[in-house]
Amino acid sequence: MLKFIVALLSGVIFGLGLIVAGMSNPAKVLAFLDLAGQWNPSLALVMVSGIAVMIGGFKWAAKMPSSLLGLPFHLPNAKDIDLKLVFGSAIFGLGWGLAGICPGPAVVLVGAGLQSGIVFFVAMLAGMALFQIGTHYLVGRKKI
């Protein structure tokens, strides 16, 4: 039960951070991405702050034998930049640039009942399903 409460609290804090920072506002995100027009650099501070916090968090976690709840850490260990990473990043960036929404803010928008968030969220789930099907049939990996 404690694991559920910590996960719920973490999600609420993350969602509130997205709202306060304006990351759940597609217009603000698109203004940040519009380098040739009315560029709004305020979200760069949000990104740099998030990176700084996570660097500290990863360094702290690397020194700990387990989480505060006694659960094992699952830290990333991949260091290779491969075609899959580049292609996936490009698709993510394209979707973010077209819609002004990425997965975290999409959940916030769904929670707020906004149609744009719901449409994006459904499209995101469909894309994830297509990836799984394509990986299964085209590459031969059984991820389904």
Side-chain angles (χ1 to χ4, degrees):
M1 183 65 166
L2 184 58
K3 182 179 169 184
F4 173 77
I5 292 170
V6 169
L8 179 64
L9 184 60
S10 298
V12 168
I13 291 169
F14 180 70
L16 288 173
L18 290 174
I19 292 168
V20 169
M23 292 287 289
S24 60
N25 179 356
K28 188 169 184 178
V29 174
L30 290 172
F32 170 71
L33 297 172
D34 187 10
L35 299 176
Q38 298 279 59
W39 185 53
N40 180 350
S42 64
L43 293 184
L45 178 61
V46 175
M47 290 182 194
V48 169
S49 299
I51 290 168
V53 169
M54 284 311 304
I55 287 172
F58 277 125
K59 287 183 182 267
W60 176 76
K63 295 176 184 175
M64 302 294 290
S66 64
S67 72
L68 296 176
L69 296 177
L71 301 170
F73 285 115
H74 300 285
L75 299 175
N77 56 10
K79 296 182 181 181
D80 296 336
I81 297 176
D82 59 5
L83 188 59
K84 187 176 173 182
L85 175 65
V86 171
F87 188 63
S89 298
I91 292 173
F92 178 89
L94 187 62
W96 193 36
L98 290 172
I101 305 170
C102 66
V107 174
V108 173
L109 295 173
V110 168
L114 295 175
Q115 184 179 8
S116 61
I118 294 168
V119 169
F120 181 90
F121 193 78
V122 170
M124 179 181 72
L125 292 177
M128 292 165 76
L130 285 173
F131 172 79
Q132 290 296 323
I133 291 167
T135 300
H136 177 73
Y137 288 107
L138 298 177
V139 181
R141 297 181 189 160
K142 296 191 178 192
K143 298 228 178 191
I144 296 178

